[in-house]
Amino acid sequence: AVRDVASNFVNRTHNIRLNETRDSILPVPLNATLNFSNGLLSILHSETIDSTPSALVALDRIKVVNSTSFLDFTRISSDAKIKSLDDYYVHITLEETQRVKLLAQSGTPGGDNNKLTLDVIKGAVVDVGQNENTNATQLAILEHPDIVKPKLISAEVNYNLGILKIK
């Protein structure tokens, strides 16, 4: 049942013609954050992105660029984990080797003091209306430093070779 503002019932609610307009607005990648403590890369878009299932996100079309050289970039590994959620954000957890490589190229402690940028190539994601994203390059990445302290698991001494292994 449908009511108006004064709480009166609307009499005719059957066989009403509904006109639909297809979504034609393309999603635009806007910016990103990268948390080096957990490797979480979150990319903000102008539209709700369809990432259910997560296979709809084309990781090979997303790359992180070292701002000291545009030829030095890292494509997001297919081993990265995508959070399956329809949202304005696409959440990607980097694999450990990529997290460490990007940390060394970042503007955070442990890095080269130059900020990373993000390129999101057309077709990396689609919105819920199945429109592909626009091409976006040199997007700002807000970098959060790695603040997780390492944890010593074990140590082993080889007296024959004079080597100390720490895990």
Side-chain angles (χ1 to χ4, degrees):
V2 178
R3 294 179 186 225
D4 67 10
V5 176
S7 297
N8 298 311
F9 284 101
V10 176
N11 292 336
R12 185 171 173 237
T13 58
H14 299 326
N15 299 320
I16 296 175
R17 184 180 184 131
L18 175 67
N19 293 320
E20 295 180 87
T21 304
R22 184 190 182 297
D23 176 11
S24 61
I25 299 172
L26 302 178
V28 178
L30 301 173
N31 61 47
T33 61
L34 179 51
N35 185 330
F36 284 108
S37 290
N38 59 13
L40 182 64
L41 174 66
S42 298
I43 308 169
L44 176 63
H45 296 81
S46 61
E47 300 260 319
T48 300
I49 300 303
D50 188 356
S51 59
T52 51
S54 59
L56 292 173
V57 178
L59 292 175
D60 62 328
R61 297 175 106 18
I62 301 171
K63 61 183 182 177
V64 181
V65 181
N66 185 351
S67 60
T68 58
S69 169
F70 294 107
L71 299 175
D72 187 6
F73 63 87
T74 302
R75 290 197 190 277
I76 303 300
S77 167
S78 60
D79 293 332
K81 303 291 184 238
I82 302 163
K83 184 173 184 179
S84 188
L85 173 72
D86 293 349
D87 193 5
Y88 283 90
Y89 285 92
V90 172
H91 301 285
I92 302 165
T93 302
L94 302 174
E95 80 169 320
E96 181 65 7
T97 55
Q98 279 200 324
R99 183 191 74 83
V100 172
K101 177 184 177 186
L102 293 174
L103 173 64
Q105 298 174 348
S106 73
T108 64
D112 63 6
N113 291 321
N114 292 294
K115 291 192 175 269
L116 299 167
T117 61
L118 187 72
D119 291 351
V120 183
I121 309 304
K122 182 175 174 40
V125 295
V126 294
D127 66 10
V128 291
Q130 301 307 296
N131 297 304
E132 290 185 345
N133 66 283
T134 60
N135 208 32
T137 59
Q138 297 182 14
L139 294 176
I141 298 177
L142 177 61
E143 301 173 353
H144 297 282
D146 181 357
I147 58 170
V148 177
K149 296 187 185 322
K151 184 177 180 182
L152 180 62
I153 298 171
S154 67
E156 177 183 314
V157 177
N158 183 327
Y159 291 108
N160 293 324
L161 299 175
I163 296 175
L164 171 63
K165 288 184 183 179
I166 300 173
K167 290 184 183 179

